[in-house]
Amino acid sequence: MIKIKKNKQYNLVVLSNPPANTFNIDLLNDLCVIMKSVNNDKPLLITGEGKIFSAGIDLFIANELSKKDFKNLIVSFESFLIQIIKHKGPTYTILNGPAIAGGFILSITTDYCYSNNVNYKVGLNQNITRLSLPSVPQSLIKIKYENDYQKFWEIKQIIEFDFNNRIYQFAKNPLKEIIKKIENFDNSFYEQKEKKQIKILNHIKINGKNYNNEFFRQWWLNETVKLREKEVKNLKT
């Protein structure tokens, strides 16, 4: 499910859970273990195999989980995101295809995101997660993009998200561009990154419990359950 490639310049993590590189508890636990094994100072690159970066949480599995097991799934997802946020070196997403829902959240958790195609769809599934998000995704969007966070609720083409801090950057050869960028980092980057880390982590500390309580409450509402069942049915067909 996960592949990791290490060299002197960077560590590359590859999501390998076809066809949509969706997240389940085993994959997320593996990602958390891998994050502990990589050099915290080295640049970290994340990409996916196939034609989709990630479609987020595996709804086929999540829809069948008990409340306890679903909460454990979200805890593992958030633990993985926190590890990326705390990574000292620069972090990158290399999109190999659409990034939807949790896949989109993963992509904006990294410092930079590169894509070799402006037509990939990115964003949140408004039919399922419009009302609330777990603590880490909610904090990331609100802190990093402030008033623009409302723009993420509808899946759009990648080019439409190119505002403020240039969420996505186009490159014919993303890996080549990243290696070139790695060679030119200075102390100002690390200082700015540390300030962002502190701001995001403080926001999670203050608001996280309320965010998660509201997310789990809404996830089990009859209306939300019906929307998920409809989405799963559409995916099967």
Side-chain angles (χ1 to χ4, degrees), residues 23-25 27-29 31-32 54 56-57 70-84 101-107 109 134 136-137 140:
F23 304 135
N24 56 48
I25 193 67
L27 182 143
L28 290 169
N29 286 341
L31 283 170
C32 288
S54 177
I57 299 294
F70 178 71
K71 284 187 176 182
N72 289 337
L73 178 69
I74 297 301
V75 167
S76 294
F77 180 53
E78 295 207 292
S79 296
F80 171 51
L81 297 180
I82 289 289
Q83 286 175 297
I84 296 174
F104 168 69
I105 293 298
L106 172 56
S107 73
T109 305
V136 177
L140 276 167

Side-chain angles (χ1 to χ4, degrees), residues 111-129:
D111 300 316
Y112 303 97
C113 185
Y114 282 81
S115 173
N116 62 3
N117 190 318
V118 297
N119 292 316
Y120 293 149
K121 296 289 184 179
V122 297
L124 295 170
N125 188 327
Q126 61 178 343
N127 291 328
I128 295 178
T129 59

Side-chain angles (χ1 to χ4, degrees), residues 12 21 54 59 83 100 141 143 164 187 194 199 203:
L12 174 65
N21 292 323
S54 177
L59 288 181
Q83 286 175 297
I100 309 300
I141 291 177
I143 293 301
N164 280 358
N187 287 335
E194 186 176 7
K199 195 172 183 179
H203 189 87

Side-chain angles (χ1 to χ4, degrees), residues 180-208:
K180 190 188 302 182
K181 192 175 183 73
I182 287 171
E183 296 170 350
N184 295 298
F185 276 111
D186 57 25
N187 287 335
S188 62
F189 163 79
Y190 294 100
E191 290 171 0
Q192 291 175 10
K193 172 158 184 169
E194 186 176 7
K195 288 179 182 178
K196 288 181 181 178
Q197 287 173 327
I198 292 171
K199 195 172 183 179
I200 292 169
L201 293 172
N202 281 343
H203 189 87
I204 294 169
K205 184 177 181 179
I206 294 169
N207 301 285

